Every structure is written in C-alpha cells, then in structure tokens.
Amino acid sequence: MTTAFLSHSDCLSHHNPEGHPESVARLEAIQQRMSAPEFDGLMRIEAPLCSDEDILLAHPAAHLSAMKAASPESGFQFIDGDTSLSPGSLQAACRAVGANVKAVDMVLSGQVQNAFCATRPPGHHAEQLQAMGFCFFGNVVIGAKHALERHGLSRVAVVDFDVHHGNGTQDLVWDDPRTLFASTHQMPLYPGTGSASETGASGNVVNVPLVPYADGSDLRAAFEQEILPALHQHKPEMVFISAGFDAHARDPLANLHFTEEDFAWATRVLCDFAKDTCQGRVVSTLEGGYDLQALAASVAAHVGVLMEQT
C-alpha cells in the first residue's frame, strides 16, 4: 500500500484580502515541494466535492445554509475580521471536506495505508454554528464522523499540533465519547480556548497548552506524558491528525519554536501508535502554517514519515 495525497485546484480559488496570511501561496508552496522526486511514490488523488449530507455529519443545517447564503458573486463577504468568503471559497471548502471523506474511504478500504489532505481553507476553528479563524467547516471532524457513522467504527482520535487551539474541533466532539480530541497549542493565543481544564463531556478532550517559546522538547514531553497515555486509554480504531505547521520557529503568527524535525517526530510517534493499535490507519489534514519556506519543509517532513509506513 501507499500514501494518498489529496488536493484539488479548486482549493486555489479561495481568496483572502491582500496581505492575509492564509493565502493561495501556501498551497502553491506545498505543491511545488511535493513535485520533488522523493514524492513520486504518492498516490495523487483529486479531492471530490463533498455532499451536503457530509457537512451535516458535524454541522446543523442552519450553518450550511448560512455559508451558502454568505457566498458572494464578487468581492469578499466577511464573517469576522479574519474570515471571509470569496466567490470560490465555498467550492474550495467543499473540496477540503470531500478530501477527508475520500481519504477515510481509501484508508478503510485498504487502498492506501494513510493519507494527507493538502487542502484549504483549514477547518479546526469552525464551530457548529460559527465560521471563524479562516475556517468554514470542520474538515477533520467530518472525516472522523464519516468513519464512525458510515463505516461503523466505534472509536477515533483527532490529534492537533497546530499552534492555535482547535476550538472548532473541540466544540464538534465535546459531547461525543467515541472521539478523543488531543491538542498541543500555544497559550495565551487566539482563540483563547484550550486550557487543561477543558476536558469534554466525558473526559474525551485532552488539552496541553504550551507557553510561548516552547520548543521540541516541550512537544515531546506533552506527547509522552499526556497525549500518548490518553490515546492508549481510548484505543481508537483510526487516527486523524490536524496538521498545522504554524508552531514552527519561523512562523509569523505565533511564538513556538518547533522545527520540521519536531513535526516528523510527532508524525512518527502517531504512526507507530496507529500501527500498534489500529492497523496503521492515519488520515492527516493541513491546518495552519504561514511561513512558506517552513510550511513546505514541514509538510515534506510530515508526508515523508507517512510514506515510510507503507
């Protein structure tokens, strides 16, 4: 088996105002780096459009209707000061959701060992009824719920190492004991959630906030002392990764000091866990990362580890 790399040109049609950090250039930098010969073994898949029913796995119909109503024919429709829709945004968001659904199908059918969804807009800040933080739909959670509801899995886990807390993911899984959500993130930082005291309705949320200027040794400690024990206790049948790379030392939006080697370490640890507990089933999805050089290098390190597992 191999690693699936899911993306689509529609994800380049989501535009933000000039100077916005979540830009088309992010995905272009990743695509250029993934054209290197060492990635020839990837199974490259065009992300399908999701259905409305896919989005409704995680969001109420009112949220989907609001996003459709807000989609502009020209210019930008602002949800908040950081989050806006352009004419191509809704299509791009549906590709991002569709990539996760397709990735789950491919991994659980045995077509591939694992998958990486190189899509935008990201998703981990999107709450049940609120688009925010550059995000419209909970891409990763929709994939996780697809695995639970349609493939009959009993337990899944979402691990998020983005520098910002995935408040949307937490909101979407708070009341679902089948889903463990574990996150490392800088605190204090946007969006202000993610304290260690936020543990979910049934203890299914594990937040490990890190202080500014924390580095790879702090990431390792968080995984070894908090996240891995929680994973072993939960015993998921599939592991999802919210792969944000804005905790990199070069990133302009935060103050953690991770390197691409740290992201590779975290990826390897999660893959080793998945190999031992759930047949190596891993679906990873791009979240943040706003220094283009660091982003491309970190994605390359991350995907390289995924490819080692096949």
Side-chain angles (χ1 to χ4, degrees):
M1 289 193 290
T2 186
T3 294
F5 182 87
L6 296 96
S7 194
H8 199 281
S9 59
D10 282 351
C11 293
L12 300 171
S13 299
H14 165 53
H15 295 281
N16 281 306
E18 186 175 355
H20 195 288
E22 207 296 283
S23 68
V24 170
R26 298 179 64 234
L27 193 52
E28 291 175 335
I30 291 170
Q31 291 172 336
Q32 181 176 0
R33 184 67 182 84
M34 289 295 106
S35 67
E38 69 250 44
F39 299 108
D40 287 349
L42 288 170
M43 182 184 292
R44 297 175 191 266
I45 303 295
E46 288 210 336
L49 287 170
C50 70
S51 66
D52 287 356
E53 289 72 24
D54 294 329
I55 294 170
L56 295 175
L57 287 169
H59 294 277
H63 178 67
L64 176 57
S65 297
M67 291 300 96
K68 289 181 176 181
S71 183
E73 293 185 5
S74 63
F76 298 101
Q77 177 64 47
F78 284 86
I79 305 298
D80 59 32
D82 296 321
T83 310
S84 60
L85 289 150
S86 68
S89 298
L90 192 61
Q91 184 99 337
C94 289
R95 295 288 183 189
V97 172
N100 277 267
V101 171
K102 178 69 172 178
V104 169
D105 290 341
M106 295 184 74
V107 170
L108 289 179
S109 69
Q111 288 180 266
V112 295
Q113 181 63 62
N114 52 47
F116 180 70
C117 301
T119 52
R120 54 181 292 277
H124 75 150
H125 292 308
E127 297 182 345
Q128 292 185 54
L129 284 164
Q130 185 62 55
M132 59 183 288
F134 317 162
C135 304
F136 304 108
F137 304 122
N139 306 325
V140 172
V141 174
I142 292 169
K145 289 188 179 293
H146 176 65
L148 292 165
E149 302 294 343
R150 296 174 176 160
H151 284 277
L153 269 59
S154 299
R155 296 173 308 281
V156 298
V158 178
V159 180
D160 187 335
F161 50 66
D162 191 282
V163 79
H164 302 95
H165 179 243
N167 60 296
T169 302
Q170 179 170 290
D171 180 57
L172 293 171
V173 307
W174 186 269
D175 294 314
D176 187 352
R178 302 171 299 173
T179 305
L180 173 72
F181 174 55
S183 174
T184 58
H185 46 274
Q186 181 179 325
M187 183 175 275
L189 195 66
Y190 179 91
T193 55
S195 70
S197 62
E198 297 167 20
T199 58
S202 56
N204 59 309
V205 171
V206 177
N207 285 309
V208 190
L210 303 174
V211 298
Y213 309 109
D215 60 17
S217 64
D218 300 292
L219 175 70
R220 285 162 172 77
F223 267 68
E224 291 167 354
Q225 297 171 19
E226 303 283 348
I227 291 177
L228 285 172
L231 286 168
H232 281 288
Q233 183 175 0
H234 188 67
K235 298 180 176 64
E237 297 169 314
M238 192 168 195
V239 174
F240 292 81
I241 303 175
S242 267
F245 299 101
D246 41 6
H248 195 284
R250 290 178 53 97
D251 200 273
L253 295 195
N255 309 104
L256 295 189
H257 279 187
F258 297 174
T259 65
E260 48 266 39
E261 289 78 14
D262 296 323
F263 294 120
W265 178 87
T267 307
R268 190 168 289 110
V269 165
L270 292 172
C271 286
D272 287 346
F273 169 81
K275 190 181 300 181
D276 290 340
T277 61
C278 54
Q279 304 173 50
R281 298 164 169 170
V282 174
V283 170
S284 177
T285 299
L286 179 67
E287 299 285 3
Y290 305 100
D291 178 273
L292 299 183
Q293 178 182 330
L295 174 62
S298 298
V299 169
H302 178 67
V303 173
V305 173
L306 294 177
M307 294 176 71
E308 291 172 5
Q309 313 305 312
T310 62

